[in-house]
Amino acid sequence: EVQLVESGGGLVQPGGSLRLSCAASGFTFSDHYMDWVRQAPGKGLEWVGRIKHKGNSYTTEYAASVKGRFSISRDDSKNSLYLQMNSLKNEDTAVYYCARVAIGWAGEYDPWGQGTLVTVSS
Amino acid sequence: DIQMTQSPSAMSASVGDRVTITCRASQGISNSLAWFQQKPGKVPKRLIYSASSLQSGVPSRFSGSGSGTEFTLTISSLQPEDFATYYCLQHNSYPLSFGPGTKVDIK
């Protein structure tokens, strides 16, 4: 079964840091681009960023709202994706989803993780 | 960066109604647009890709059209299971961007 499981969410103070993890199973992780998408409570979806696979030099892309503060990495040997979040702001409070970018990407995520909640508050 | 807008932001409709949701991009994105449906507590589900192609398994009452900067999602006859929030996503260029969503609820 193709599965993604996020972890690492929690309560953090403004200005703090947090590292999210996403454990992948049931597929060849190294073949896929991976994205992070977030959703603030009661709000819409926001694309956070992407990491490409080794064939594209593990290139990363970020939303303007997180660029310079967040960093996406992956460890293909551990089938794991990471989101390092620094200088956190109240507005970063959200459920963070990791998502596998489908081969032949045309907007399909297959699958999504269940999400992990990050709360930034003093 | 490309900004996506959607209209309306919310609407009330009845079962059987024809519903049209519009998504606009701040610059041309060709047909690199997908539509998603999200129900409360669930992850989003893709309905339409490449602006007008129906995702396998999605009912034919859903359709998409448009190219460039203006796109529409149409539900020809709204069913009870269609009450949800709908998002567009542009994937023409980085950073990718979702529209703010359109909530369709029961009149």
Side-chain angles (χ1 to χ4, degrees):
Chain A
E1 179 192 4
V2 175
Q3 193 171 15
L4 300 171
V5 178
E6 301 95 337
S7 61
L11 177 63
V12 60
Q13 292 188 335
S17 297
L18 206 59
R19 188 197 198 202
L20 305 184
S21 299
C22 171
S25 60
F27 65 100
T28 306
F29 178 73
S30 59
D31 285 349
H32 286 265
Y33 295 4
M34 297 294 296
D35 281 12
W36 287 97
V37 177
R38 68 183 181 182
Q39 188 164 34
K43 302 297 184 182
L45 301 167
E46 181 182 15
W47 182 79
V48 172
R50 171 172 291 178
I51 187 165
K52 300 180 182 180
H53 50 48
K54 184 178 180 180
N56 286 102
S57 304
Y58 299 122
T59 301
T60 53
E61 304 283 351
Y62 297 97
S65 59
V66 306
K67 198 169 187 177
R69 300 188 299 122
F70 289 13
S71 176
I72 300 173
S73 61
R74 62 192 295 165
D75 185 336
D76 290 346
S77 69
K78 295 182 178 180
N79 291 335
S80 292
L81 174 72
Y82 305 101
L83 179 64
Q84 178 67 45
M85 303 184 294
N86 299 329
S87 303
L88 282 161
K89 305 176 181 179
N90 290 333
E91 52 264 39
D92 295 318
T93 294
V95 173
Y96 285 74
Y97 298 98
C98 63
R100 184 180 76 165
V101 175
I103 300 292
W105 163 257
E108 180 161 44
Y109 291 115
D110 174 33
W112 298 65
Q114 86 288 349
T116 187
L117 176 62
V118 172
T119 303
V120 184
S121 175
S122 54
Chain B
D1 296 358
I2 298 173
Q3 311 302 321
M4 305 301 292
T5 59
Q6 284 183 237
S7 60
S9 57
M11 63 183 300
S12 296
S14 300
V15 172
D17 284 353
R18 182 182 182 87
V19 168
T20 299
I21 299 168
T22 298
C23 177
R24 290 186 175 87
S26 60
Q27 61 191 80
I29 59 170
S30 185
N31 69 338
S32 299
L33 185 105
W35 287 98
F36 291 81
Q37 176 194 67
Q38 188 181 31
K39 297 181 180 179
K42 302 293 187 181
V43 297
K45 169 187 170 184
R46 189 179 72 165
L47 303 174
I48 300 287
Y49 63 97
S50 300
S52 60
S53 297
L54 190 67
Q55 173 74 30
S56 175
V58 172
S60 59
R61 62 181 179 273
F62 290 92
S63 63
S65 65
S67 182
T69 61
E70 187 158 333
F71 303 85
T72 59
L73 173 70
T74 299
I75 309 171
S76 60
S77 178
L78 196 67
Q79 298 301 300
E81 60 268 30
D82 301 336
F83 291 97
T85 301
Y86 294 85
Y87 298 93
C88 58
L89 167 68
Q90 75 79 17
H91 55 88
N92 183 72
S93 62
Y94 294 110
L96 309 188
S97 45
F98 286 94
T102 296
K103 185 175 182 179
V104 178
D105 63 19
I106 302 171
K107 183 182 286 184

